[in-house]
Every structure is written in C-alpha cells, then in structure tokens.
C-alpha cells in the first residue's frame, strides 16, 4: 500500500471547532510570548487529526511561496452541502459519511466500473504538489495537496474516441448533508472539464493535504484540484466521473450562467459581474496582490486555449 487509508476514521477524530479555536488562541498566546517549545512543532502536529499519509513522493510542481497555514485552509472553506458560511463546513463536517466510498467511472469508456476508493487508488503513487488556489470571491491560498494526475486514472478506463469532456458528481445524501435540503444549487454538485484539460498533468485528484488525508470539509475522501481555474471547478467528495461526447451541465453555470462560465480560467481581465477579479487577497496577507492569468500556470496551460476568445468563453 502506498499510503495508510483508515476506513474507521470518524469525525470524532477530527478537531471540533471549539477545540480548534481554543488551540488557536493558545498558539497565538504562545507566539506573542515567544514560547519556543510550541513554535518548534510542525503546524500539522498541532492542528491536524486526520490520519497521516506515508510514502509520498515529491511532486513535479513546486512553488516558492509561503504555504497557507493548515488551520486556515481547513477552516475557511466552501462546501455548500455542509452550509454556506465559511466555517459551516468545519462545524458540520461529521455529517459527511465517507465510509464506505465508491466511485463510478462510466460513459464513453471501454471499461466502465464502480470501484472502492482503495481499488481506485492502488496503482497510483501519491505525490505532494504545492498549488496556488484562487477563489472567485477574490481570495487565494497556497496548499500542499497530495494526490495523483487525473489523466492516469482516466487512461485506465480507456476513453473511447468519442470522449471529449469529463463530468464529475459529488455525493448526493440529503438525509445527512444539511445544504442539500436547501435550494442553494441544483444537487448533486456537478462540475466538468474538457478532456484535454482533464488530461493536463497539472489536474490532480487529491486524497490529502499537508501530509494527511483530507479533512471532510476539504472534500474527503477524493476531490479534484485544477489550479489554473477558479476554486469552484475543484469539486469535492466525488462519487462519479463520466466521460462524455458533449459539454456537461455544471452546478454554478446552471445556477447563474452570467456569473460562472464553464471554463472559469483565472483571468484578471474578465471581472465577475459583482467582483473585480484583477486582484486577490492571499489569506494571511494584508495587502491585495495582482492576480496572474491562469493563476500563474500560463506556461503549462495557455496552449489549451490558443484559438479561443477567453472573454467570450469565460
Ligand atoms: N465541491 C462541492 N461538492 N461543493 C461545494 O460547495 N465549493 C467549491 C469547490 N468544490 C464546493 C466544491 C468552491 S466555490 C471552492 S472555492 C472550492 O471547493 C473550495 O475548496 P476548499 O474549501 O478546500 O479551499
């Protein structure tokens, strides 16, 4: 096994919000007092209670920028099935049932299947990749994800010659997920990529972050990470991956087509109707910084859109 997967993990193993806040104020106190003993500890040792992952190889993509603290990346989240406030997903995290977990891979593939998470991950060595993430609400983070390229998984199921798009679906479980009882979006949460975007080596399926399995609020047990697109493309808690001939329907595009395009490439020149997209607030920094085209990944992905008008296809 390339890593330790703990099927018995429950949310009781994850830090409840109250304890997290207590720890945070303890830490802040310690920092103010300059308590060396506390500062010597890795932040993950202090805050993360999800199982550690082992045998992770260093990813091909690295970033020479300070990482967002784990406590921010895991407590300031968007996961509407678990509530619409930024701290709701942490407070409701235990409502997401992640065991057992299956993922269906179907549509335009020669070898469709319904696999357990363990089977799906077995042949894929895990890597750590530090990516910039940019949310459409104009904040950003730098997160060390642990996962593997989506393209490696798709090839295993042999896409047919008709396959041009990939559609993803999140777990549908309204009895447990409080947000799915409300008409915030049409459920289940759905996202999609063009096949060449899905096969780009930057696109990964993540099972962990900061050296450990994903906290529920960050999309356990399996989520997409597409670092050159706005965060809403990075769908969480995936249960279905479908290869298609035609462009799939996506939740945010369906909800507000003038605000959320299918492509959603980070583009400082195309504003969201309600927000300026030319600048962003990196979580933990005071001043806003300029947003980079394709979130700084232009060298790796701009060629995918060489013939497209990216103002029209936003
Ligand atoms: N996936 C699901 N299933 N439900 C969601 O509400 N929110 C999206 C995306 N994936 C969302 C989702 C949005 S809007 C963002 S910005 C990112 O997840 C946030 O990922 P993070 O909370 O891990 O930073």
């Amino acid at each position: 096994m390339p890593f330790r997967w703990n099927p018995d993990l429950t949310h009781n193993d994850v830090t409840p919000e109250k304890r997290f806040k207590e720890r945070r104020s303890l830490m802040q106190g310690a920092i103010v007092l300059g308590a060396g003993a506390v500062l010597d500890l890795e932040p993950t040792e202090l805050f993360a209670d999800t199982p550690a992952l082992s045998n992770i190889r260093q990813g091909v993509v690295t970033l020479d920028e300070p990482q967002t603290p784990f406590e921010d990346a895991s407590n300031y989240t968007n996961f509407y099935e678990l509530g619409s406030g930024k701290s709701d997903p942490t407070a409701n995290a235990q409502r997401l049932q992640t065991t057992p977990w299956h993922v269906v891979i179907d549509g335009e593939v020669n070898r469709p299947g319904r696999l357990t998470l363990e089977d799906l991950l077995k042949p894929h060595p895990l890597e750590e990749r530090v990516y910039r993430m940019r949310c459409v609400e104009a904040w950003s983070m730098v997160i060390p994800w642990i996962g593997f390229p989506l393209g490696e998984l798709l090839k295993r199921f042999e896409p047919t010659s008709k396959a041009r798009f990939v559609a993803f679906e999140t777990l549908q479980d309204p009895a447990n997920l409080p947000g799915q009882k409300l008409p915030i979006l049409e459920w289940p949460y759905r996202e999609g990529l063009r096949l060449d975007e899905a096969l780009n080596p930057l696109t990964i399926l993540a099972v962990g972050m900061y050296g450990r399995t994903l906290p529920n609020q960050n999309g356990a047990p399996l989520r997409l990470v597409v670092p050159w697109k706005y965060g809403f493309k990075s769908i969480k808690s995936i249960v279905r991956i479908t290869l298609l001939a035609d462009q799939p329907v996506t939740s945010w595009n369906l909800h507000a087509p003038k605000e959320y395009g299918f492509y959603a490439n980070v583009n400082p020149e195309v504003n969201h109707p309600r927000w300026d997209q030319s600048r962003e607030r990196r979580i933990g920094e005071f001043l806003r910084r300029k947003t980079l085209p394709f979130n700084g990944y232009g060298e790796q992905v701009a060629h995918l859109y060489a013939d497209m008008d990216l103002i029209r296809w936003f």
Side-chain angles (χ1 to χ4, degrees), residues 172-191:
Q172 169 89 321
D173 183 11
N176 287 308
L177 300 174
Q180 286 185 340
K181 293 200 184 77
L182 307 169
I184 311 169
L185 290 172
E186 245 183 61
W187 309 108
Y189 195 98
R190 273 171 274 171
E191 255 312 330

Side-chain angles (χ1 to χ4, degrees), residues 72-74 76-83 86 89 133-137 139 141 143 145 169-171 180 185 187-191 209 214 217-219 223-224 230-238 252:
D72 292 327
S74 61
Y76 190 80
T77 61
N78 271 337
F79 198 166
Y80 286 83
E81 290 88 332
L82 295 174
K86 302 294 176 217
M133 303 299 289
R134 168 66 157 80
C135 187
V136 78
E137 295 154 85
W139 44 268
M141 300 195 190
I143 300 182
W145 296 107
E169 260 178 45
T170 293
L171 176 71
Q180 286 185 340
L185 290 172
W187 309 108
Y189 195 98
R190 273 171 274 171
E191 255 312 330
M209 60 189 223
L214 288 173
Q217 63 270 26
N218 291 93
R223 69 171 290 171
L224 188 68
Y230 290 115
F232 66 87
K233 298 296 283 183
S234 291
I235 180 171
K236 298 177 170 183
S237 306
I238 297 168
W252 286 104

